[in-house]
Amino acid sequence: SSLRVVYAFAREMHPKTTDVFIQYGTAGFRTKANLLEHVVYRMGLLAVIRSRVKNGRTIGIMITASHNLEPDNGVKLIDPDGEMLEQSWEDIATRMANVSDNDLESITGQIIKEVNADMSLKASVYIGMDTRYTSPRLAAAAANGVIALKGTPKEFGIVTTPILHFCVKCRNDNTYGVPTEEGYYEKIVGSFKRIRQKLSVSGDYNTTLYVDGANGVGGKKLNIIKKTLDGELDLMLFNLGGNGGKLNLNCGADYVKVSQSVPVGVEHVPYQRVASLDGDGDRIVYYYVDDDKKMHLLDGDRIATLLASYITELLNNCGANSLKLGLVQTAYANGASTKYITEELKIPVSCVKTGVKNLHHEALKYDIGIYFEANGHGTVVYSNEAKNTLKKIDEDGDAEQRKSAQILLDFINMTNETVGDAISDLFLVETVLCARGQNITGWETTYQDLPCRQLKVTVQDRNAIQTTDAERRCISPEGLQERIDELVCKVESGRAFVRPSGTEDIVRVYAEGDTQESADKLAEDVAQAVR
Ligand code: NG1
Ligand code: ZN
């Protein structure tokens, strides 16, 4: 049969060359790039099966290892609404990835039966990749997998992860936009320009923004966008991948956030705001350096509170107070941000387990759900109810109400609701700062972060650590939580937790305290307790 040929082809073209077990984790499969070719080929097969289970709707495959260094790569699947792959399929993906070449045919057949896929249907798969030199080869393997099961691949070449999510969503729901890179610019950047025409640049806001592109795809795309801007924003782009700059090496959002220091490759002018992106353009943090060259970080929590307060203001102005707005964070959210949201903004906040899919799904429970990881991955999602309410106000409201409703509708259009998106988030932040006539220090004064520290600990078996309460407490190994409690007690405003990473073979330690010294010491003491 033709399937026979397919599997023979797999063995020859994309053979499994390793016996190391690989798991579909929080960010799909991620490991050294040279161990991934067979995995990606098989994800091509699986994407076709998934597309058929979804009645021929388009599925996405993104080749990226995000903020990891150049030698790594990864692959993740995108579901029809532009969301992360449904959780129950993660195990199926893991089975597909680990089966031997000899058993690939029978396991694939078994899975097709289990998920009840009608293999006579059409199947459509969108494939995108980041700038890694190993990505084109992997994207080709994915396309081969799609073709093998008679699906139709469409390759987008080098795109940010959120651009691919956006295109998948648009292909399956044409009310959302046009499923091309240009369609993305048209919607996101077009809305930004439209809003700018309604606002005036005033107060302390300055249109100059520096950007650290992490030597990845996000900076490259901003370079395209930059040429279409008309003075609304003056982008000064750094770390675009030229001049020997290495992807994510001592630069990018993850580096800035975790090391709490400025990236290499960026010119630093005191008080100039800088946006730092990660390697695949789905995370963003802001920072500036002061006169003493001290870095001030405005992370994902800070972006979330900025957006939440602005949206709340617009909702009040247009009289749409019945819409329920909520914020979603993880245990990594700075305690000061949670306090500010609850006590000052008086917005409900929930805490979920690390991993974008968890945040996204929790956010969908609100009419307007704002979710951000402290590391800068996040977005806002709006229910149909919210969108319809605002459209109605735009038609029936008084002049003041209509004005706010229109700004909010543009704000929604500027948002990539499918997933956290550095480019979209950048335009959202710039819009709020402009609307408020605020500079980065003005934004910073809303609350003061508690000093914090993140550490990585290498252990024999990271899964020996099991957690509960949205990862804020651990239930095994025995005695560890008691020890952490003892250490936390000794620190003013102390908080600490540990959890196994879903993307690296390490345990992550997080600690907060009233001073940097106490946070550092608490993190070190907890790390010691884990070792
Ligand atoms: P792990 O390695 O599970 O901590 C990291 C990030 C997540 C998420 C994923 C996917 C932290 C502490 N963790 O997960 O928030 O972004 O990568 O990229 O930042
Ligand atoms: Zn990323």
Side-chain angles (χ1 to χ4, degrees):
S1 75
S2 68
L3 276 189
R4 257 305 102 73
V5 179
V6 168
Y7 299 110
F9 182 69
R11 268 204 295 278
E12 265 166 40
M13 295 288 289
H14 310 291
K16 185 164 181 280
T17 52
T18 168
D19 285 332
V20 180
F21 181 79
I22 185 164
Q23 190 171 359
Y24 197 100
T26 21
F29 296 107
R30 203 178 279 189
T31 182
K32 294 283 163 270
N34 60 347
L35 301 177
L36 273 170
E37 199 171 309
H38 68 285
V39 176
V40 171
Y41 172 80
R42 291 155 182 219
M43 287 309 102
L45 302 176
L46 188 64
V48 171
I49 299 173
R50 181 84 182 141
S51 174
R52 291 193 173 125
V53 165
K54 292 288 172 186
N55 261 319
R57 296 178 87 210
T58 295
I59 299 293
I61 300 181
M62 183 68 196
I63 310 292
T64 181
S66 186
H67 56 277
N68 292 26
L69 295 178
E70 185 84 42
D72 288 0
N73 215 327
V75 55
K76 53 188 169 190
L77 296 190
I78 302 167
D79 260 353
D81 284 322
E83 294 170 291
M84 305 281 176
L85 176 68
E86 183 184 302
Q87 194 137 6
S88 65
W89 277 59
E90 291 181 4
D91 282 343
I92 298 176
T94 302
R95 264 160 73 202
M96 284 287 277
N98 290 286
V99 67
S100 70
D101 283 330
N102 277 333
D103 293 338
L104 180 59
E105 179 176 359
S106 65
I107 291 289
T108 305
Q110 219 172 302
I111 288 169
I112 288 170
K113 265 205 202 107
E114 272 170 37
V115 300
N116 212 358
D118 178 352
M119 296 303 278
S120 69
L121 292 177
K122 285 188 177 167
S124 155
V125 181
Y126 280 5
I127 301 169
M129 62 181 174
D130 69 13
T131 55
R132 282 161 217 271
Y133 65 85
T134 54
S135 290
R137 199 189 159 94
L138 293 174
N144 281 340
V146 174
I147 293 164
L149 285 185
K150 300 206 171 1
T152 309
K154 177 169 171 159
E155 296 198 62
F156 282 70
I158 296 173
V159 284
T160 66
T161 298
I163 291 180
L164 191 68
H165 281 257
F166 174 89
C167 291
V168 168
K169 166 78 178 168
C170 293
R171 177 68 182 77
N172 295 315
D173 170 6
N174 62 17
T175 66
Y176 199 67
V178 180
T180 59
E181 192 175 322
E182 293 68 33
Y184 169 90
Y185 298 142
E186 170 57 36
K187 186 172 179 194
I188 306 280
V189 187
S191 310
F192 170 72
K193 291 182 166 192
R194 242 184 338 270
I195 272 201
R196 271 296 159 98
Q197 284 165 6
K198 294 176 191 143
L199 305 170
S200 53
V201 175
S202 65
D204 292 332
Y205 182 73
N206 178 310
T207 55
T208 302
L209 173 67
Y210 284 24
V211 177
D212 160 22
N215 295 309
V217 50
K220 285 194 197 311
K221 299 307 179 191
L222 280 175
N223 209 9
I224 297 174
I225 293 170
K226 178 186 156 97
K227 300 187 176 86
T228 70
L229 293 172
D230 217 15
E232 295 96 349
L233 197 58
D234 301 300
L235 296 173
M236 277 276 282
L237 306 174
F238 299 90
N239 291 333
L240 295 185
N243 305 322
K246 295 270 188 306
L247 179 67
N248 298 323
L249 187 64
N250 299 324
C251 64
D254 195 63
Y255 173 80
V256 171
K257 168 72 181 160
V258 176
S259 72
Q260 302 183 31
S261 45
V262 298
V264 299
V266 177
E267 185 188 316
H268 286 113
V269 177
Y271 300 101
Q272 170 61 53
R273 67 181 187 286
V274 186
S276 181
L277 277 49
D278 80 338
D280 65 335
D282 62 1
R283 289 193 197 175
I284 183 170
V285 296
Y286 273 73
Y287 71 88
Y288 71 93
V289 295
D290 63 20
D291 286 327
D292 301 323
K293 298 210 162 89
K294 181 177 177 304
M295 185 184 86
H296 297 243
L297 177 68
L298 292 93
D299 62 5
D301 307 334
R302 192 75 72 160
I303 296 173
T305 53
L306 183 78
L307 301 184
S309 65
Y310 184 61
I311 295 169
T312 304
E313 191 183 308
L314 290 175
L315 287 175
N316 288 337
N317 290 349
C318 68
N321 313 54
S322 64
L323 296 176
K324 209 164 160 290
L325 180 135
L327 216 146
V328 186
Q329 302 187 312
T330 71
Y332 291 100
N334 195 282
S337 75
T338 315
K339 191 161 181 258
Y340 172 73
I341 296 159
T342 322
E343 292 175 11
E344 304 282 324
L345 299 180
K346 301 197 190 309
I347 291 173
V349 50
S350 31
C351 182
V352 300
K353 286 202 309 198
T354 303
V356 183
K357 58 174 182 251
N358 302 316
L359 288 109
H360 189 91
H361 287 133
E362 183 68 22
L364 289 175
K365 293 179 184 167
Y366 297 99
D367 288 317
I368 299 172
I370 299 155
Y371 70 86
F372 265 86
E373 295 187 304
N375 62 32
H377 186 117
T379 187
V380 188
V381 289
Y382 299 85
S383 67
N384 286 334
E385 163 78 8
K387 289 175 184 170
N388 291 336
T389 304
L390 293 168
K391 281 180 197 150
K392 197 152 179 346
I393 294 171
D394 183 24
E395 281 161 18
D396 306 343
D398 63 36
E400 262 318 293
Q401 292 175 328
R402 290 187 54 203
K403 188 170 170 230
S404 295
Q406 281 165 12
I407 291 180
L408 196 42
L409 286 166
D410 279 333
F411 205 74
I412 296 174
N413 275 323
M414 199 172 23
T415 309
N416 185 346
E417 293 181 73
T418 63
V419 77
D421 181 338
I423 292 176
S424 158
D425 291 338
L426 180 152
F427 287 117
L428 293 174
V429 168
E430 293 302 317
T431 297
V432 182
L433 294 180
C434 177
R436 294 188 162 165
Q438 221 171 26
N439 61 15
I440 193 157
T441 50
W443 174 17
E444 188 188 23
T445 52
T446 43
Y447 65 87
Q448 196 180 357
D449 269 323
L450 280 168
C452 62
R453 179 62 62 196
Q454 244 195 76
L455 293 177
K456 295 181 186 188
V457 186
T458 310
V459 294
Q460 189 115 70
D461 174 17
R462 73 185 198 274
N463 292 316
I465 294 190
Q466 284 174 20
T467 64
T468 180
D469 188 20
E471 303 175 320
R472 288 173 290 192
R473 298 186 63 78
C474 63
I475 44 178
S476 91
E478 211 177 316
L480 179 57
Q481 188 57 51
E482 287 71 21
R483 180 72 188 125
I484 295 174
D485 290 341
E486 274 170 34
L487 294 165
V488 166
C489 264
K490 290 192 247 170
V491 177
E492 185 80 30
S493 302
R495 185 169 75 91
F497 64 91
V498 300
R499 55 173 280 278
S501 160
T503 60
E504 293 175 70
D505 190 12
I506 47 140
V507 172
R508 289 195 203 283
V509 173
Y510 178 87
E512 279 173 11
D514 60 333
T515 63
Q516 192 61 53
E517 294 67 38
S518 70
D520 288 352
K521 179 161 191 318
L522 180 56
E524 196 40 64
D525 289 346
V526 171
Q528 200 49 47
V530 171
R531 283 187 191 111

